[in-house]
Amino acid sequence: MAMSLRASLARVAAQPARVGRRSVVSVQATGVINPSVKKDLDKVVDTIKADEIEGKKGVFCRCWRSAKFPYCDGKHAAHNKETGDNVGPLIIEKP
Amino acid sequence: MAMSLRASLARVAAQPARVGRRSVVSVQATGVINPSVKKDLDKVVDTIKADEIEGKKGVFCRCWRSAKFPYCDGKHAAHNKETGDNVGPLIIEKP
């Protein structure tokens, strides 16, 4: 069913890489996004009740590298620096 | 500062790929996560007021492939199938 990671990486490597500059409209990104979060699950879905968020707002990870997943721990900064990516968290403000 | 996408892909290709099976604890994932969302920004951060979410819950994209970003349009399913990944959305339930 799913393409293996090896096949996926081979496909990425075979494609002409586009330089990851801010001015480009899109970049090639065909690999695995989530390196380590709940890899025993077929799909990681988290459900949070807005009124159970601590404090005035919840900051949620979208880079899949946070040690506090599903909450953000700022790890996207290192990912962005290493890869030239531009991902950041989702912030939910409580009523 | 940031590693170029070309360098990043070369580094990925040079590493021994681990097979993307459900039983592995982690997989190599050193490439760009976000292929096309607001690539003119240094960092994509979205702030949503919980009480402005339409309906009883908001379903938010964490695969960076949704045409309705920051909301989910189900595109993670195709990404997971293509790559063997297991990402899914964040669901925020309104009070």
Side-chain angles (χ1 to χ4, degrees):
Chain A
M1 184 197 79
M3 177 182 293
S4 74
L5 179 59
R6 188 180 296 276
S8 177
L9 289 175
R11 197 175 60 164
V12 170
Q15 291 171 338
R18 303 175 198 172
V19 179
R21 286 167 51 193
R22 288 283 166 262
S23 58
V24 298
V25 174
S26 68
V27 296
Q28 294 293 339
T30 57
V32 168
I33 293 171
N34 171 23
S36 58
V37 177
K38 300 175 190 166
K39 297 306 284 187
D40 55 318
L41 300 182
D42 281 341
K43 183 169 66 172
V44 182
V45 179
D46 297 281
T47 302
I48 306 281
K49 295 181 193 298
D51 56 2
E52 291 181 359
I53 293 171
E54 291 180 24
K56 291 186 176 179
K57 61 184 181 181
V59 184
F60 293 97
C61 177
R62 298 191 292 193
C63 79
W64 297 89
R65 279 141 184 80
S66 173
K68 294 164 57 184
F69 199 89
Y71 288 88
C72 172
D73 72 352
K75 205 70 66 62
H76 55 268
H79 164 78
N80 287 344
K81 187 172 180 182
E82 285 175 15
T83 65
D85 211 346
N86 67 337
V87 299
L90 171 70
I91 300 174
I92 301 293
E93 293 183 342
K94 278 171 76 173
Chain B
M1 183 196 80
M3 177 181 293
S4 74
L5 179 59
R6 186 180 297 275
S8 177
L9 289 174
R11 197 175 63 163
V12 170
Q15 290 172 340
R18 304 176 197 170
V19 179
R21 286 167 51 193
R22 287 283 164 263
S23 57
V24 299
V25 174
S26 68
V27 294
Q28 294 292 339
T30 57
V32 168
I33 294 171
N34 170 24
S36 58
V37 177
K38 300 175 190 167
K39 296 306 282 189
D40 56 318
L41 300 182
D42 281 341
K43 183 168 67 172
V44 182
V45 179
D46 297 281
T47 303
I48 305 281
K49 295 181 192 300
D51 56 1
E52 291 182 358
I53 293 171
E54 292 181 22
K56 291 185 176 178
K57 62 184 180 181
V59 184
F60 293 97
C61 176
R62 297 190 293 192
C63 79
W64 297 88
R65 279 140 184 80
S66 173
K68 293 165 58 184
F69 199 90
Y71 288 88
C72 172
D73 72 352
K75 204 71 65 61
H76 55 267
H79 165 78
N80 287 344
K81 188 173 181 182
E82 285 174 16
T83 65
D85 210 345
N86 68 336
V87 299
L90 171 70
I91 300 175
I92 302 292
E93 293 183 343
K94 276 170 78 173

